[in-house]
Amino acid sequence: AAVRPVGGVLAAYVVGTAEPEELAVFLRQRLPDHMVPSSFTELDRLPVTANGKLDRKALPDPAPVARAPYEAPRDELEETLAQIWAEILGVERPGIRDDFFDLGGHSLLALRLALRMRQALGREIPVATVLAAPTIAQLTEALADEGENPVSRGRVVPLRTAGNRPPLFLIHALGGQVFRYRPLAQHLGDDQPVYAIPAHGLTEGDAVQTTIDEMAETYAGYIRELFPAGPYFVGGFCIGGNIALEVARRLRKDGHAVPYVFLAWSSAEEPVVGSTLEDDTALMVHALAGGATSLDPRELSLMEPAERLLAIVNAATKEGQLRTESTDLDQIQRYVEVFRANAHAVGRYKHDTFDGPAVLLIPEEDNAPPDEDYGWRAFVPNLETGLIPGARFSALYNPYVTRTANAWRRWMDRGLEHRARH
């Protein structure tokens, strides 16, 4: 096999008979999503030079990514967006019905897309808008909507709006973004509405929220604004579960039913690595590189903040660990500030007793003991526990996400059945 960048995305060339989706599943188990190729071209053999080395210049144009029937841009705005998509995705003539993520888009490219649209259109566009409106046609409608509801303001991201079941609201984790929930929403069923709530502060001029109570009050308000009456399901991964519990507390206080709060790989005792609360260098490394780079922490601590930020970004980029966009330092600084605010808000927060139903979802690869509760049983007397496949970073992606969604759906059905009986 060989891989090369083509137009900003990765194209793979393979000698063999595996299906492209099989290869993509195999790689997603081992690599971050932005390192998984967008296309797979089958070859009889790889081209080599006279001395037997791979001849990259002789590799053919990559196989096209599966796309919807082509529909041309209908006006100047759609033409501008199509040009930006072609640049970001390395795709020739993107149509207005092509899905950004089906064409190889991922969270890092979505951040880059939001930056390019800001430059081209002269307006701040939340990256959550790309997640909510992944085609050019949908994006055009979203940009024209100047409404005041949480969706048009980018405060709530509709991942699936169809269906007559009680909506599921998923709360952001430490980084504030909600991209990780897209695959889950796609596998929960056509009848299950799913919405995600990103953190405040990810766009220019938007203030971060610094306390769990402030976040919970605000997010509960968004939920009530979109759906004035329950029942609702709420949940989240990592600290998203901690925040979701407090959102549910407020919804229940207002008389709305919450059949289950989903605490997915969430901890009541130490939800944030302690060093990120005390050491700014450690916080930056956790926010941008997942907690580990080859850089010497002592050398980093001697740098000025801006220099330190750039060093971590460069190292994480080279090592394939960067969690955010590498070309816009202003955006990176906002990302770090959101991470810092979330870490401090949750790291020292103490939950009061919650008397509603909640389920702690534990990834199987955690190898947790049968009585593990991550500290929740002291605060949630009605806590139940269940297993989901994979590990904390893989449970929401292929090849695990289908099984994760099935388990999640069974718990939702159980909550609705219990509510119907009582």
Side-chain angles (χ1 to χ4, degrees), residues 142-174:
L143 296 179
D145 184 1
E146 300 293 344
E148 285 302 312
N149 69 66
V151 170
S152 63
R153 297 199 306 270
R155 298 304 192 190
V156 176
V157 179
L159 297 177
R160 182 183 293 278
T161 57
N164 56 6
R165 289 165 60 91
L168 168 64
F169 286 88
L170 298 168
I171 312 298
H172 64 84
L174 270 172

Side-chain angles (χ1 to χ4, degrees), residues 324-373:
T324 185
E325 176 53 48
S326 61
T327 59
D328 182 0
L329 286 180
D330 288 340
Q331 176 64 50
I332 289 173
Q333 185 61 56
R334 287 195 290 273
Y335 184 88
V336 171
E337 290 304 318
V338 168
F339 188 99
R340 176 184 286 109
N342 287 336
H344 281 264
V346 179
R348 299 189 179 96
Y349 189 80
K350 297 298 182 185
H351 295 277
D352 290 330
T353 299
F354 178 81
D355 60 1
V359 56
L360 172 64
L361 298 177
I362 302 175
E364 291 174 342
E365 292 180 18
D366 267 20
N367 295 317
D371 60 347
E372 180 61 77
D373 66 0

Side-chain angles (χ1 to χ4, degrees), residues 75 77-78 81 121 123 125 129 133 136-148 152:
D75 54 31
L77 174 58
E78 290 187 344
L81 293 176
L121 304 178
R123 57 185 287 190
I125 300 170
T129 301
I136 290 174
Q138 292 171 332
L139 195 51
T140 302
E141 293 179 11
L143 296 179
D145 184 1
E146 300 293 344
E148 285 302 312
S152 63

Side-chain angles (χ1 to χ4, degrees), residues 47-61:
V48 295
T49 61
N51 60 7
K53 294 185 177 180
L54 176 67
D55 186 355
R56 293 187 177 277
K57 294 182 180 179
L59 288 169
D61 290 337

Side-chain angles (χ1 to χ4, degrees), residues 272-333:
V272 181
V273 177
S275 61
T276 63
L277 299 179
E278 312 301 337
D279 184 290
D280 199 58
T281 299
L283 183 142
M284 286 184 179
V285 171
H286 274 274
L288 299 174
T293 72
S294 60
L295 297 172
D296 186 338
R298 291 170 297 181
E299 292 183 12
L300 284 173
S301 66
L302 298 175
M303 298 178 183
E304 293 296 319
E307 182 184 10
R308 186 189 314 150
L309 189 68
L310 189 58
I312 296 170
V313 167
N314 288 337
T317 301
K318 291 177 183 177
E319 296 164 23
Q321 298 188 101
L322 188 65
R323 299 298 176 88
T324 185
E325 176 53 48
S326 61
T327 59
D328 182 0
L329 286 180
D330 288 340
Q331 176 64 50
I332 289 173
Q333 185 61 56

Side-chain angles (χ1 to χ4, degrees), residues 71-299:
E71 289 188 44
R74 298 165 294 187
D75 54 31
E76 184 177 350
L77 174 58
E78 290 187 344
E79 183 64 46
T80 298
L81 293 176
Q83 291 172 2
I84 296 173
W85 276 41
E87 170 193 334
I88 297 295
L89 294 169
V91 173
E92 186 178 352
R93 286 202 326 156
I96 63 172
R97 308 294 176 187
D98 286 328
D99 188 290
F100 178 81
F101 298 97
D102 290 344
L103 294 183
H106 48 70
S107 57
L108 300 189
L109 288 181
L111 286 162
R112 188 177 300 166
L113 178 63
L115 172 63
R116 282 289 292 112
M117 289 192 295
R118 186 178 75 191
Q119 294 169 338
L121 304 178
R123 57 185 287 190
E124 187 74 28
I125 300 170
V127 69
T129 301
V130 181
L131 186 57
T135 72
I136 290 174
Q138 292 171 332
L139 195 51
T140 302
E141 293 179 11
L143 296 179
D145 184 1
E146 300 293 344
E148 285 302 312
N149 69 66
V151 170
S152 63
R153 297 199 306 270
R155 298 304 192 190
V156 176
V157 179
L159 297 177
R160 182 183 293 278
T161 57
N164 56 6
R165 289 165 60 91
L168 168 64
F169 286 88
L170 298 168
I171 312 298
H172 64 84
L174 270 172
Q177 302 280 11
V178 290
F179 284 97
R180 66 171 65 190
Y181 296 131
R182 184 175 186 268
L184 178 66
Q186 292 175 317
H187 288 84
L188 281 172
D190 293 340
D191 59 346
Q192 180 58 60
V194 183
Y195 296 81
I197 302 180
H200 283 226
L202 291 167
T203 56
E204 186 177 9
D206 186 26
V208 298
Q209 295 188 320
T210 58
T211 70
I212 294 302
D213 287 331
E214 182 182 18
M215 295 177 199
E217 194 68 36
T218 301
Y219 302 166
Y222 294 154
I223 293 172
R224 289 189 296 259
E225 190 174 343
L226 285 174
F227 294 89
Y232 320 100
F233 290 103
V234 293
F237 253 74
C238 186
I239 72 162
N242 299 69
I243 303 170
L245 191 81
E246 299 307 317
V247 170
R249 188 191 305 280
R250 285 155 176 78
L251 294 173
R252 284 168 53 83
K253 184 179 178 181
D254 289 341
H256 303 294
V258 181
Y260 268 123
V261 179
F262 290 94
L263 310 168
W265 195 74
S266 300
S267 173
E269 294 180 323
E270 191 181 354
V272 181
V273 177
S275 61
T276 63
L277 299 179
E278 312 301 337
D279 184 290
D280 199 58
T281 299
L283 183 142
M284 286 184 179
V285 171
H286 274 274
L288 299 174
T293 72
S294 60
L295 297 172
D296 186 338
R298 291 170 297 181
E299 292 183 12

